Amino acid sequence: MRVKNLASVKAEPGRIALLALAAVLFWALAKPAVGLTLPPVPEHAPVPTPLVLAQAVDSMPDQMRSATIRAIQETLNEKGFTAGPVDGAMGPRTRSAIRDYQRKAGLPVDGVASKDVLDHMKFARPEVTAGTGSTAPKQAAGDPLTRDVQRELLRLGYYDGAIDGLYGPATRQAIERYQYDHNKSVTGNVGQPLLEELRGMTPGQAGSGLRT
């Protein structure tokens, strides 16, 4: 019995050492959380402003860029702003027409073609047109080349709209009908070669190249 008690006494210091080590480890791990103070939050903390990216056509894939420019050109022409042919190419007339629209609509005037400009033209109310606003409304002068094409299409029986030099749906559809009837590539675009070709036609020849 005495031997057993001696063994128990000898083992006691090891147990005490383990308990002491566990206590030290617990204290070391818990210490950082004790008395931890978070930095004060300002009463009027600034709210991050969301970054809004204008969808400029220059950052779009080629096919989307061309389609967006075509839609902008067509919409500008319909509203009386002279953007020229609906060809999907960003030229000086298209840029100038965008500036005119932006000026009329009270937008920042930069002449940049973007999805934002297109959406504004299609959905803004009240609608903004070339005649909107000022005491001396802008009279759309029209494009001389487009006017000559309209005149020739009218002579050949493909067009029955106004000879105003404004490229709109009626003019485009008349060109497309002519091109289709004469086995041409159907683009609906105005151009000098088209005008020369139309001038060489007579009303009697208009049906000579019809598709079968």
Side-chain angles (χ1 to χ4, degrees):
M1 188 69 177
R2 184 176 179 182
V3 175
K4 181 178 180 180
N5 289 337
L6 287 174
S8 175
V9 171
K10 288 181 180 180
E12 192 69 25
R15 187 179 301 114
I16 293 173
L18 288 174
L19 291 174
L21 179 60
V24 170
L25 290 174
F26 175 79
W27 178 82
L29 293 173
K31 184 178 180 181
V34 176
L36 181 63
T37 303
L38 295 175
V41 178
E43 292 183 5
H44 304 288
V47 178
T49 303
L51 181 62
V52 179
L53 296 178
Q55 300 177 39
V57 295
D58 290 341
S59 63
M60 297 178 180
D62 290 343
Q63 189 172 359
M64 183 183 297
R65 178 177 185 275
S66 178
T68 301
I69 293 175
R70 284 177 64 91
I72 289 173
Q73 290 169 328
E74 183 172 356
T75 306
L76 285 168
N77 287 329
E78 289 173 354
K79 292 179 179 294
F81 299 93
T82 308
V86 180
D87 55 8
M90 191 66 186
R93 278 189 293 180
T94 300
R95 199 177 305 279
S96 177
I98 292 174
R99 288 196 186 99
D100 289 343
Y101 176 84
Q102 290 171 327
R103 195 173 291 112
K104 283 283 186 181
L107 301 174
V109 180
D110 55 16
V112 174
S114 69
K115 184 67 165 53
D116 293 343
V117 168
L118 178 60
D119 287 345
H120 193 281
M121 289 192 292
K122 286 185 173 295
F123 304 119
R125 293 294 179 270
E127 183 180 5
V128 178
T129 66
T132 297
S134 65
T135 55
K138 179 181 176 180
Q139 189 104 22
D143 175 58
L145 177 59
T146 302
R147 188 182 297 113
D148 290 341
V149 168
Q150 289 171 332
R151 187 176 292 110
E152 294 302 318
L153 289 167
L154 178 65
R155 181 177 64 84
L156 295 173
Y158 284 95
Y159 180 69
D160 60 357
I163 308 299
D164 54 10
L166 300 178
Y167 185 91
T171 302
R172 185 187 72 250
Q173 290 166 10
I175 294 172
E176 289 173 347
R177 284 195 296 270
Y178 168 82
Q179 291 171 329
Y180 180 84
D181 285 349
H182 293 81
N183 291 315
K184 307 292 183 182
S185 177
V186 178
T187 64
N189 294 338
V190 172
Q192 190 64 37
L194 172 65
L195 177 59
E196 297 301 326
E197 181 179 326
L198 292 172
R199 283 175 172 169
M201 298 287 293
T202 63
Q205 292 176 308
S208 62
L210 297 181
R211 293 176 187 257
T212 57

